[in-house]
Amino acid sequence: MIEFLFLDLDDTILDFHKAEAAAVAKTIREFGADPTPDILARYHEINRWHWQQLELGNLTREQVLENRFAVLFEELGLAVNPAHCARSYEYNLSREHAFLPGAQEALEELGKTYRLFLASNGTATVQHSRLTDANLYRFFEQVFISQEVGYNKPAREFFEACFDRIPGFDRERAVMVGDSLTSDIQGGINAGIPTVWVNGEGKQADGIRPDYEIQTLSQLGDLLARLEREEVTQA
C-alpha cells in the first residue's frame, strides 16, 4: 500500500509560470528594460536551458541563477550586474505563491491518508519564503530542497538523502509526483519508485515515461485509491 508521497512544488502545487512572469517582469523593469511579451518569452527559453544544464550536471546552481540574466541583458544590449539581477529576481519571486486550481484542497485530502514530503529543486530562500506565505508547511512531514540536501533532482543521490531522513521509510510504498519529466519523473525512475506525471498542458512524454499521468493534483487521490484497490484485488 502507498504511504509516502513526494510532491514537487512549482507547477505541481503552486503556479510557477504565473509567479515567474510577474517576478521576471518586475526585475527586467528594475534594470532598465521594458518586459514585452517577446522579452519574457526569450527569458523563459534561456532559463529553461540553464535549468536543463543544471539537471545534467553541466552548470552549478550559482551559474544558473546569474548566467540566465547575463545572457538576457547582453542580448538586450544593457550592461548590468547579473548577481544584482539574480538577487532582485529571487526577492520578487519569493513574494509570489498563487496555487494551481484545486491544489490546496488536494493537499488537505491527501494529508488525511498519506505521509507528504516536498521535493523541490528551487532556491532555498525563495522556496521557504513562498512556503511560509502560502502556509504550506502544515501539509508536509518534511521539506526537501535540493540546495539544502546537497544534490539536485533527478540525481539518485537527492532521493537517497531524502529517504535516509524519513523514519520508517519503505521504498516499496513511495511515489514521486511532479510536472517535470526531466526532474521529477526521471528522478523517481532513478530512485526506483513509481512516478505520477502532472501534465496540465497535455504534453507528450518524449523519451521519459511516467508510470501514471494526471492533469491536476486534484486527480491524484482518485488515482492512488484505484491503484490500491487493484493491488488488493491482485493479492
Side-chain angles (χ1 to χ4, degrees):
M1 303 294 281
I2 298 166
E3 180 179 354
F4 307 90
L5 291 186
F6 292 86
L7 299 168
D8 177 52
L9 179 63
D10 289 314
D11 287 333
T12 300
I13 298 170
L14 297 183
D15 188 336
F16 183 73
H17 288 309
K18 181 177 180 179
E20 179 190 47
V24 170
K26 187 172 183 180
T27 302
I28 289 174
R29 191 175 292 111
E30 288 172 355
F31 286 86
D34 180 21
T36 65
D38 286 345
I39 289 177
L40 292 176
R42 179 57 183 146
Y43 169 84
H44 183 68
E45 293 175 356
I46 294 169
N47 183 57
R48 180 173 54 193
W49 182 88
H50 278 76
W51 281 105
Q52 288 171 345
Q53 295 307 302
L54 175 73
E55 292 169 3
L56 293 170
N58 296 332
L59 291 176
T60 66
R61 177 176 299 275
E62 289 70 25
Q63 288 172 324
V64 170
L65 298 181
E66 293 187 15
N67 288 3
R68 53 189 177 175
F69 287 105
V71 171
L72 178 68
F73 280 100
E74 182 177 358
E75 290 183 2
L76 295 176
L78 294 173
V80 300
N81 184 319
H84 293 170
C85 292
R87 285 195 291 271
S88 175
Y89 169 73
E90 289 182 7
Y91 174 78
N92 293 332
L93 183 62
S94 72
R95 314 320 299 171
E96 302 287 340
H97 56 268
F99 281 94
L100 287 168
Q104 187 171 6
E105 294 79 4
L107 292 174
E108 295 274 6
E109 291 303 311
L110 291 167
K112 297 175 182 178
T113 306
Y114 306 100
R115 295 171 66 180
L116 307 185
F117 302 88
L118 189 78
S120 172
N121 261 358
T123 303
T125 54
V126 172
Q127 299 301 60
H128 283 305
S129 177
R130 297 170 73 218
L131 288 165
T132 298
D133 289 350
N135 195 23
L136 278 169
Y137 283 107
R138 61 196 172 102
F139 296 117
F140 297 102
E141 188 172 320
Q142 293 190 58
V143 168
F144 300 113
I145 299 176
S146 58
Q147 190 176 25
E148 297 173 332
V149 172
Y151 301 96
N152 299 303
K153 296 181 296 181
R156 182 183 180 90
E157 291 86 350
F158 171 86
F159 290 91
E160 294 295 344
C162 297
F163 298 165
D164 288 343
R165 301 179 192 183
I166 299 173
F169 179 74
D170 182 352
R171 190 189 307 265
E172 299 298 319
R173 303 173 70 178
V175 174
M176 176 67 211
V177 183
D179 72 293
S180 171
L181 287 172
T182 57
S183 177
D184 304 314
I185 304 308
Q186 186 61 57
I189 293 170
N190 292 345
I193 62 176
T195 59
V196 179
W197 185 27
V198 183
N199 183 17
E201 297 180 358
K203 299 176 182 177
Q204 293 297 314
D206 233 358
I208 301 172
R209 298 294 177 183
D211 294 293
Y212 307 99
E213 181 178 334
I214 55 179
Q215 291 182 308
T216 68
L217 198 62
S218 60
Q219 297 171 331
L220 181 59
D222 288 342
L223 170 64
L224 297 177
R226 176 172 61 82
L227 296 178
E228 293 184 354
R229 287 194 301 269
E230 291 176 357
E231 183 179 341
V232 170
T233 302
Q234 295 170 4

